[in-house]
């Protein structure tokens, strides 16, 4: 639920905070994060004054989700309003498998190899607030690392959120907005990048997606331009992906 930052006086400070926090969580084995603040009364239309969200990944991935109003059905946001300590985001989605919003989120997490994630709730009167950190990878080593770093994630997220909130993030209109990330990737571009993160070649990706190898190369050309990358490995890294 990332909303682009406006060209407010604090935008440079916000970008610096985002880069620093991303470095911090990557040291702990996490690949990406988002931070959010939303009035629960506006979940059917979260793009309102006073609401904001910032992410290290591309907002284009969830633009349709936000626009469709599915945030109003999100069990993770409900939990953020009543929890005091970090909770397992993926496990919560599994527990709400019947929920359309949870199913949508599970599919997206699976697409990018995310098997573990903490949500650190920091809600206040009138607003649902928190930070989510995502860990790609599978197996016992990843699971052990996930649980062992919970308290470190908690402390770092609290510090990050307090500093971020002090910069007064805003929700600009499309004409004046300035995203931290490059333009949004299309669904097919995101799929190509996901499979590249799994170590697949262009030829293998073409077979998996039932498209030509030339089309795969065309998608990667667009991906490199949008992410400012010069190689597949760099694009995967910039997009917050990690091979499991």
């Amino acid at each position: 639920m990332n909303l682009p930052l406006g060209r407010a006086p604090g935008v440079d400070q916000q970008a610096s905070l985002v880069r620093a926090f991303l470095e911090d969580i990557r040291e702990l084995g996490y690949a990406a994060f988002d931070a959010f603040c939303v009035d629960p009364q506006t979940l059917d239309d979260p793009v309102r004054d006073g609401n904001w969200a910032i992410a290290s990944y591309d907002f284009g991935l969830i633009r349709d989700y936000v626009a469709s109003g599915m945030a109003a059905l999100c069990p993770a946001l409900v939990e953020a309003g009543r929890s005091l300590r970090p909770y397992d985001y993926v496990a919560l989605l599994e527990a709400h498998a019947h929920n359309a919003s949870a199913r949508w989120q599970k599919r997206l997490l699976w697409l990018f190899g995310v098997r573990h994630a903490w949500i650190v709730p920091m809600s206040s009167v009138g607003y649902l607030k928190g930070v989510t950190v995502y860990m790609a990878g599978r197996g016992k080593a990843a699971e052990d690392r996930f649980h062992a770093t919970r308290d470190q994630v908690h402390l770092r997220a609290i510090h990050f959120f307090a500093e971020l909130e002090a910069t007064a993030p805003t929700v600009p209109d499309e004409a004046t907005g300035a995203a931290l990330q490059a333009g949004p990737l299309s669904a097919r571009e995101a799929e190509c990048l996901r499979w590249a993160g799994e170590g697949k070649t262009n030829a293998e990706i073409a077979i998996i997606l039932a498209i030509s190898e030339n089309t795969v190369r065309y998608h990667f050309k667009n991906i490199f331009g949008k992410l400012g990358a010069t190689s597949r490995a760099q694009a995967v890294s910039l997009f917050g992906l990690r091979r499991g």
Side-chain angles (χ1 to χ4, degrees):
M1 211 172 75
N2 170 44
L3 304 173
L5 293 175
R7 294 190 180 116
V11 69
D12 291 338
Q13 184 180 359
Q14 292 162 11
S16 178
L17 289 171
V18 165
R19 287 192 294 269
F21 183 65
L22 189 57
E23 290 178 5
D24 281 348
I25 62 172
R26 282 180 172 170
E27 288 179 358
L28 297 177
Y30 295 83
F33 80 90
D34 55 54
F36 59 88
C37 171
V38 60
D39 179 346
Q41 300 302 315
T42 65
L43 287 177
D44 59 336
D45 182 18
V47 187
R48 302 277 189 89
D49 288 345
N51 293 346
W52 58 267
I54 293 172
S56 62
Y57 53 82
D58 189 344
F59 178 50
L61 288 170
I62 56 175
R63 191 180 303 278
D64 291 342
Y65 171 86
V66 174
S68 69
M70 290 188 72
L73 305 175
C74 179
L77 288 177
V78 173
E79 188 66 22
R82 62 190 182 194
S83 294
L84 299 176
R85 294 186 59 79
Y87 54 91
D88 187 329
Y89 174 36
V90 176
L92 184 143
L93 295 180
E94 294 283 356
H96 292 81
H98 62 286
N99 182 288
S101 174
R103 290 198 301 271
W104 191 99
Q105 293 172 72
K106 280 179 58 182
R107 284 195 296 270
L108 187 64
L109 294 179
W110 188 264
L111 175 64
F112 287 102
V114 174
R115 300 296 184 267
H116 305 287
W118 291 117
I119 292 184
V120 182
M122 284 169 267
S123 299
S124 61
V125 176
Y127 281 93
L128 301 175
K129 302 179 182 181
V131 176
T132 312
V133 294
Y134 303 90
M135 178 182 286
R138 66 195 73 181
K140 188 175 186 305
E143 184 174 357
D144 289 347
R145 188 178 185 89
F146 173 65
H147 290 290
T149 54
R150 172 180 166 170
D151 289 343
Q152 294 178 71
V153 165
H154 190 187
L155 292 174
R156 295 185 188 200
I158 290 174
H159 180 69
F160 166 67
F161 194 90
E163 289 194 314
L164 182 63
E165 197 167 33
T167 68
T170 59
V171 180
D173 58 37
E174 290 298 321
T176 61
L180 287 175
Q181 297 293 328
L185 300 188
S186 69
R188 183 48 58 89
E189 289 166 355
E191 286 182 304
C192 288
L193 197 53
R194 162 72 174 92
W195 287 113
E198 293 291 329
K200 302 299 183 183
T201 65
N202 285 354
E204 291 170 329
I205 293 172
I207 293 172
I208 292 169
L209 300 181
I211 57 179
S212 72
E213 192 170 348
N214 282 337
T215 299
V216 174
R217 283 195 289 268
Y218 173 77
H219 286 316
F220 275 108
K221 179 180 178 180
N222 289 337
I223 289 168
F224 293 164
K226 290 179 178 181
L227 297 182
T230 57
S231 69
R232 287 158 56 104
Q234 186 183 23
V236 168
S237 178
L238 287 171
F239 211 59
L241 301 174
R242 291 290 185 272
R243 292 180 63 180

